[in-house]
Amino acid sequence: MKKFLSMTMTLIMLMALAVPAFAVDKESDPNSEAEVQEEILESASEFAYLDADKATPELKEKILEARKEIIYNTDWVADGYVGCIRNIKTGKLIKELPEFSEVFPGWDVPIEENNAKIEISEPVLPAVPADNTMEEIKPLSIGTGLDDWIVLLSERVYLKSASSTTNATPFAAFTLDPYKMGTQIRAYATSLSASETCNIGFSDYSSGKSLASAVNLVEYEALELYVGVGKPTVGVRASTYSNPGWSTIKVDGAYRITNIR
């Protein structure tokens, strides 16, 4: 009996020691991913800041590819736009985004050809208030003020591994009517099944020009962008530098203008 108890206690102690060991390994994964990403940026920096105009064609190609690697791993908005990263649960402003030329003087904003044509989304309005999607849907004039966020889209999106030199393909696009949908747009993940973080970006869907980029966002950290009153068609993209997997991405609009036409 004593021998049996001794063996049992030994097994329990071994299991107790094994659990923290596995926990440490799991917690170290995000750190190793960050280290890999940092190594990529360091490697890209060797070429990115060389003078592309004086380079040979072969070297120029390397310089432009290196610049893309840095651009796609940085938070910014296109010149003339205003954007930020905000925690929508707490309302806390995390970061005001710098304009592209502030971060990358003399560099070109990425332009990607939209090879995969997607249907331009037309949300059914009146829409659901973004802060309480369980409420009964009410007309904008009654239930939602012009400055309130309304849900334009809530969709399951599979987050693919981000490319370091190419934008992800947009999963949705909106022609933003400033009277119905707003002059500001935001996108964020409400759930990440396998990924630690996600990357979100906006682009002018007609030209393919990137308008804003934010990387390594956790759940409920939103990329917000003021787009103005010009009815732009904005593409929304998402990817991850973490583990690929399913997510739920929400897109909201706010700051509608009064219809005075």
Side-chain angles (χ1 to χ4, degrees), residues 159-180:
L159 299 177
K160 296 180 180 179
S161 293
S163 166
S164 59
T165 57
T166 306
N167 276 332
T169 302
F171 65 85
F174 301 89
T175 299
L176 290 171
D177 186 326
Y179 299 94
K180 297 179 180 179

Side-chain angles (χ1 to χ4, degrees), residues 197-228:
T197 61
C198 67
N199 313 317
I200 291 177
F202 297 127
S203 63
D204 182 323
Y205 191 70
S206 301
S207 66
K209 178 183 176 181
S210 288
L211 300 179
S213 176
V215 298
N216 298 326
L217 303 176
V218 299
E219 291 178 1
Y220 293 99
E221 286 185 352
L223 170 61
E224 296 183 6
L225 179 69
Y226 175 76
V227 295

Side-chain angles (χ1 to χ4, degrees), residues 51-52 54-61 63:
D51 190 339
K54 297 180 180 179
T56 63
E58 294 80 7
L59 181 57
K60 184 175 182 178
E61 185 176 347
I63 292 171

Side-chain angles (χ1 to χ4, degrees), residues 24-261:
V24 169
D25 288 343
K26 184 176 181 181
E27 290 172 0
S28 66
D29 286 344
N31 293 332
S32 63
E33 290 170 6
E35 289 171 2
V36 170
Q37 198 171 345
E38 188 175 337
E39 287 175 5
I40 292 173
L41 292 177
E42 287 180 2
S43 176
S45 296
E46 295 179 14
F47 292 97
Y49 297 99
L50 298 177
D51 190 339
D53 294 332
K54 297 180 180 179
T56 63
E58 294 80 7
L59 181 57
K60 184 175 182 178
E61 185 176 347
K62 286 185 178 181
I63 292 171
L64 296 180
E65 288 296 298
R67 288 180 179 180
K68 283 185 177 182
E69 289 186 353
I70 295 175
I71 289 168
Y72 292 151
N73 282 275
T74 308
D75 304 327
W76 52 268
V77 293
D79 289 3
Y81 287 83
V82 177
C84 69
I85 298 172
R86 188 185 305 275
N87 185 310
I88 68 162
K89 279 192 168 182
T90 64
K92 180 182 177 182
L93 175 65
I94 297 172
K95 177 193 288 188
E96 291 184 358
L97 299 182
E99 290 191 357
F100 185 87
S101 62
E102 292 179 40
V103 188
F104 309 113
W107 295 12
D108 295 323
V109 175
I111 297 177
E112 304 288 351
E113 184 178 350
N114 294 320
N115 295 320
K117 299 301 179 182
I118 60 175
E119 183 178 349
I120 306 301
S121 301
E122 185 66 37
V124 178
L125 299 174
V128 181
D131 60 349
N132 190 352
T133 56
M134 300 305 292
E135 287 186 359
E136 180 183 355
I137 296 177
K138 303 174 183 178
L140 294 178
S141 59
I142 299 174
T144 309
L146 295 175
D147 293 346
D148 294 331
W149 291 98
I150 56 172
V151 178
L152 304 179
L153 176 75
S154 181
E155 185 167 313
R156 291 282 287 168
V157 177
Y158 187 82
L159 299 177
K160 296 180 180 179
S161 293
S163 166
S164 59
T165 57
T166 306
N167 276 332
T169 302
F171 65 85
F174 301 89
T175 299
L176 290 171
D177 186 326
Y179 299 94
K180 297 179 180 179
M181 300 163 69
T183 57
Q184 193 162 321
I185 190 173
R186 72 183 182 189
Y188 53 98
T190 59
S191 72
L192 297 169
S193 61
S195 311
E196 296 284 340
T197 61
C198 67
N199 313 317
I200 291 177
F202 297 127
S203 63
D204 182 323
Y205 191 70
S206 301
S207 66
K209 178 183 176 181
S210 288
L211 300 179
S213 176
V215 298
N216 298 326
L217 303 176
V218 299
E219 291 178 1
Y220 293 99
E221 286 185 352
L223 170 61
E224 296 183 6
L225 179 69
Y226 175 76
V227 295
V229 298
K231 283 193 174 183
T233 299
V234 177
V236 188
R237 63 181 184 269
S239 62
T240 184
Y241 285 118
S242 180
N243 300 316
W246 285 100
S247 67
T248 300
I249 305 289
K250 265 190 177 182
V251 182
D252 304 333
Y255 300 97
R256 291 167 295 287
I257 59 177
T258 304
N259 190 344
I260 57 175
R261 293 173 292 180

